[in-house]
Amino acid sequence: MHIRDLPHPDPGVPDVRTAGAFLLWLYRQQLGGQLKALAWGLVNVGAIAASPLPVGLAVQAVVDRDGGRLLLAGGLIMALGVLIALGGTMLHREAVTNWITAVARMQQLLARKTTELGSAMTRRVAAGEIVAVSTGDLEKIGWFVEAVSRFGASAVTTVAVAIAVAVYQPELGVLVAVGVPVMALAVLPLLPPATRRADAQREKAGRATELASDTVAGLRVLRGIGGEELFLGRYRSASQEVRKAAVRSARMWSLISAVQVLLPGLLLIAVVWYGARLALDGTIAVGDLVTLYSAVAFLLFPLRHFEEIAQAYSFAKPSAKRTARVLAQTRPSGGPARSQGATPTGDLHDPVSGLTLAAGRLTAVVCGDPDTAGRLAERLGGHPPQHDDDGGDGTGPLSVVLGGTPLDELPRDIAREAVLVQDKDPMLLSGTLGDLLDVPASGRVGATEALAAAQCGDVLTALAQASVDAAGDPMHTHITERGRSLSGGQRQRLALARSLVTDPEVLVLDEPTSAVDAHTEARIADGLREIRTGRTTVVLTSSPLLLDRAEQVVFLQEGKAVAVATHRELLHSHPAYRAVVTRETDPEPAMSTGQIEESA
C-alpha cells in the first residue's frame, strides 16, 4: 500500500488476545510491504557484504601488478556502490511506508473504537492511558514494524557471509562460524532485564501523563482552591520517577551496546591474528586476508540491526499490550446482533433501575446523585459501565430495551439513530457554527429552529460580531477547540441545538441547563417541549423549572425508580423527592399549596 492511498478502506479486525498476537496480526496486514522492504534490504546489505571481494581482488591485483584484474575490481566496486545506494534508498522508502501505514491503521482502529464506545471509553480506560497509546505507543510500534525488514535482511546476509567465509577459507571459517552465533546470542541474557526496565519506564511515563492530563483538565478548580502547588509537586515527583526509570533503562541498553562492540572487536582481532599467521606461512594470499578481514568487519554492521530490533521490540511489546487492551474494549452484548433494518420505536426501558420512559413524551428523571445520573445516561445510550449489575447469570450488564429490542442487538449506526445522549459536559469541536450543526439528522428539525429552541439568540449575536465574514454571518464564525471562546452557558445551548438538529427517536439530556440563568432555562424548557413534540425526550435534572414542564417525572433512589408522577404531585407526596429538588436538609411530610406554587 502507498501512503497516498491512506486512509485504509478497512483497517481490519485486530487480534487483541496478547501483545505478540497483535504485532503478528499487524505484520500480516502489510505482508506485501514487508516483503518489498526485505527484498530491497537484501540488495542493500548484500551489496555491502559483497564489497570485501572486489577490495581483496584489488589488493591482490596490486601485489601481482595485474592491471586487468585491478580494472575489473574497480568496476565491481562501482557496480556494488550503485546497488548499495539504490537498495538503501528503496529500503528506507519501503520501511518508512510500512511505519506510516501501520500507524495509520492503528489510528483508524482507535478512532473506530472511540466512535463505538463514545464517552464510555474514558470510563473503562484512563484518559492518560488513551493519550499515551494514541501518541507515543503507536510510534514505538511503528518503529518495530519499520525495523523488522532491516533485521531480516541483516540476519539472512550474516548467515550467508558466515557460510561463504567457511567455504572460502575453512581454517578461518570455523572461527567465524563459532564467533558469529556467540556475538548474536551474547546479549540475550541482558534483554529480559532491559525489557523490564523499559516496561517500568513506560508505566511511570503513562502515570505521569495521566496526572498531567487530569491536572490540566481541573486547572480551573485547582486555582479556585489553591491546590496548584500541591498538584505541581505531585507531577514533579512523578516526572523524577520517569527520569530515574529512563536512566536505569538507558544503562542497560548502554551495556548491550558495549557488548555488541566488544565481542565483534575480539573476533576481528582473532581473525587478523590467525589470518596473519596463515599469510606468513603462505597458506593464504594477502588479498585473501584482506577479503576475510573486510568480511568479518562487515559483521559489525548487521549486529547493530540486531540491537535495534531487540530494543524496538522491548519498547513495542508494552505499547502493543496497552493498545490491544484499549482495542479489546467492546459494547456489552445481550445477544446476537440484529440485521440491518428500520430504527425501532416505542417505550425505552432500563432493567437495572426499573425506569420506563413512555414513547413520545417529555420525561424528567431526578437522581439526586450526579454519578448515578451519569451512569444512567450511559446505559440509556447503550453504553452500560462494566460494573453495572447484570441479570445474575454472569452474562454482563443488562441492555436497555427500546420498543422491545435490546440496544445491544442493534447495529451501531441504527442504535445511534435511535438514542442520542448529550453529556453534562458536551464537546464542541473546532470549526464554524455551520460545521458544528452539520451532523447526521432526520431533516425534520432545521438549524434555525434548533437554535431558537435552545435560546441561542445572544450567542448568534456574539458570533456575528466576531465574524470575519463581510456579512457578519454567525454560521461562518470560527469556534475554537472545545468552545473555549464561549461561556459555559453558551456552550451548553449550542450543544443542545446540535442535539435537536440530529432529532433522534430518543434524546437523553444530562443536566442540559446547569450553566444558564433561570429565565433562559424556562424558555429552553418551553422550546424543548415544543420542538420535541411526538419524540421521546429524557432530561436528567433536578431543576424545578424543567421538572415543572415535563409531562412526567421519575424519581430514583439508590439507583432504582421509586416514584412516577408530575412534579407538583411528587413535591406534595414524596419528602425525599422534595428534599432533592428544593435542597432541604430536613424535609417535612407535606407542603402547602402556596409553597408548591413557589417551588415550581
Side-chain angles (χ1 to χ4, degrees):
M1 184 175 187
H2 300 287
I3 295 177
R4 63 174 176 268
D5 297 325
L6 294 175
H8 298 277
D10 180 12
V13 180
D15 186 345
V16 294
R17 293 173 299 171
T18 63
F22 178 71
L23 291 174
L24 181 60
W25 173 86
L26 192 62
Y27 181 86
R28 289 200 304 265
Q29 294 305 301
Q30 50 180 193
L31 185 59
Q34 290 289 351
L35 292 177
K36 289 181 182 178
L38 177 61
W40 285 114
L42 289 174
V43 171
N44 175 253
V45 183
I48 296 174
S51 297
L53 289 174
V55 171
L57 182 63
V59 171
Q60 191 62 43
V62 171
V63 173
D64 298 338
R65 300 181 180 275
D66 189 336
R69 279 194 295 167
L70 183 60
L71 185 61
L72 175 62
L76 290 174
I77 291 175
M78 290 183 62
L80 290 174
V82 172
L83 289 177
I84 291 171
L86 177 63
T89 300
M90 297 305 297
L91 169 62
H92 178 75
R93 175 172 177 165
E94 294 296 337
V96 171
T97 298
N98 290 335
W99 184 335
I100 294 175
T101 54
V103 171
R105 186 182 300 277
M106 290 184 289
Q107 286 174 336
Q108 286 182 242
L109 289 171
L110 288 171
R112 186 173 68 182
K113 183 59 62 176
T114 303
T115 302
E116 176 185 340
L117 295 179
S119 60
M121 173 72 86
T122 54
R123 292 181 181 271
R124 302 181 182 186
V125 182
E129 183 171 354
I130 297 175
V131 172
V133 167
S134 58
T135 54
D137 284 339
L138 296 192
E139 289 300 313
K140 289 176 175 59
I141 296 173
W143 174 32
F144 173 73
V145 169
E146 182 257 354
V148 166
S149 54
R150 288 199 301 272
F151 166 72
S154 297
V156 172
T157 308
T158 298
V159 173
V161 168
I163 294 174
V165 170
V167 173
Y168 187 63
Q169 284 294 336
E171 297 87 349
L172 291 175
V174 174
L175 179 61
V176 174
V178 173
V180 169
V182 171
M183 289 189 298
L185 301 176
V187 297
L188 289 183
L190 301 177
L191 289 180
T195 302
R196 287 194 296 270
R197 293 188 181 189
D199 290 348
Q201 178 192 353
R202 296 293 74 157
E203 290 177 4
K204 292 180 183 297
R207 287 197 293 270
T209 302
E210 183 177 350
L211 179 60
S213 177
D214 292 343
T215 302
V216 172
L219 190 58
R220 181 176 297 180
V221 176
L222 291 176
R223 286 175 176 170
I225 64 176
E228 298 158 273
E229 288 300 324
L230 174 63
F231 274 79
L232 181 59
R234 291 181 180 177
Y235 181 75
R236 283 172 176 165
S237 177
S239 180
Q240 288 301 312
E241 291 295 324
V242 175
R243 181 189 64 80
K244 293 176 182 177
V247 170
R248 292 185 71 249
S249 179
R251 285 173 179 168
M252 185 57 69
W253 287 111
S254 298
L255 177 60
I256 292 174
S257 298
V259 169
Q260 291 193 327
V261 171
L262 175 63
L263 293 183
L266 294 176
L267 177 62
L268 192 60
I269 292 172
V271 168
V272 171
W273 174 78
Y274 188 60
R277 291 188 57 185
L278 293 177
L280 291 175
D281 295 340
T283 305
I284 62 173
V286 175
D288 295 336
L289 177 59
V290 172
T291 299
L292 292 171
Y293 169 81
S294 301
V296 175
F298 156 79
L299 294 176
L300 298 175
F301 174 72
L303 283 176
R304 289 200 298 269
H305 291 157
F306 293 175
E307 176 192 353
E308 180 191 21
I309 196 66
Q311 187 172 6
Y313 180 74
S314 70
F315 281 99
K317 185 178 179 181
S319 296
K321 183 178 180 181
R322 279 193 293 268
T323 304
R325 183 165 58 244
V326 173
L327 295 177
Q329 301 298 321
T330 58
R331 292 176 60 199
S333 179
R338 200 181 74 164
S339 59
Q340 193 81 7
T343 302
T345 59
D347 294 348
L348 185 67
H349 176 69
D350 174 30
V352 175
S353 64
L355 174 68
T356 299
L357 305 165
R361 303 185 68 181
L362 173 60
T363 303
V365 179
V366 178
C367 297
D369 179 12
D371 292 335
T372 300
R375 291 194 295 270
L376 175 61
E378 292 294 337
R379 287 200 305 273
L380 295 178
H383 296 302
Q386 291 179 328
H387 57 269
D388 273 353
D389 296 332
D390 57 25
D393 56 1
T395 58
L398 294 172
S399 173
V400 169
V401 178
L402 175 61
T405 302
L407 284 184
D408 289 339
E409 295 183 8
L410 293 174
R412 186 181 59 199
D413 54 346
I414 293 183
R416 292 295 154 266
E417 290 178 6
V419 182
L420 174 66
V421 177
Q422 177 179 305
D423 296 332
K424 66 178 64 178
D425 186 20
M427 175 75 70
L428 297 184
L429 301 178
S430 60
T432 65
L433 178 58
D435 295 334
L436 176 69
L437 300 179
D438 184 16
V439 293
S442 67
R444 191 177 73 96
V445 179
T448 302
E449 299 172 85
L451 289 168
Q455 299 300 311
C456 295
D458 63 316
V459 184
L460 295 178
T461 300
L463 292 176
Q465 293 173 350
S467 175
V468 296
D469 184 75
D473 186 355
M475 302 300 289
H476 294 161
T477 303
H478 184 79
I479 298 175
T480 58
E481 181 185 3
R482 289 180 172 266
R484 298 186 189 279
S485 58
L486 305 172
S487 68
Q490 290 174 328
R491 287 196 298 270
Q492 272 193 338
R493 284 177 282 164
L494 287 180
L496 177 59
R498 178 179 59 187
S499 299
L500 294 176
V501 167
T502 303
D503 190 39
E505 182 66 28
V506 179
L507 176 60
V508 181
L509 304 172
D510 188 2
E511 294 289 357
T513 58
S514 59
V516 301
D517 60 83
H519 295 291
T520 304
E521 186 177 31
R523 293 195 298 269
I524 290 175
D526 293 332
L528 179 64
R529 181 167 182 170
E530 179 181 352
I531 201 171
R532 290 289 297 174
T533 300
R535 296 287 201 180
T536 306
T537 307
V538 186
V539 182
L540 307 179
T541 183
S542 59
S543 166
L545 289 171
L546 289 176
L547 295 172
D548 190 49
R549 286 159 176 79
E551 296 176 67
Q552 71 173 13
V553 178
V554 182
F555 179 51
L556 269 64
Q557 268 189 317
E558 297 181 356
K560 303 295 182 181
V562 296
V564 181
T566 65
H567 169 58
R568 295 170 185 254
E569 291 172 344
L570 288 174
L571 278 177
H572 181 73
S573 63
H574 210 293
Y577 173 83
R578 184 169 62 249
V580 171
V581 173
T582 63
R583 276 68 168 177
E584 291 182 0
T585 55
D586 296 312
E588 298 178 0
M591 298 178 67
S592 66
T593 303
Q595 289 174 315
I596 294 175
E597 295 290 342
E598 183 179 353
S599 297

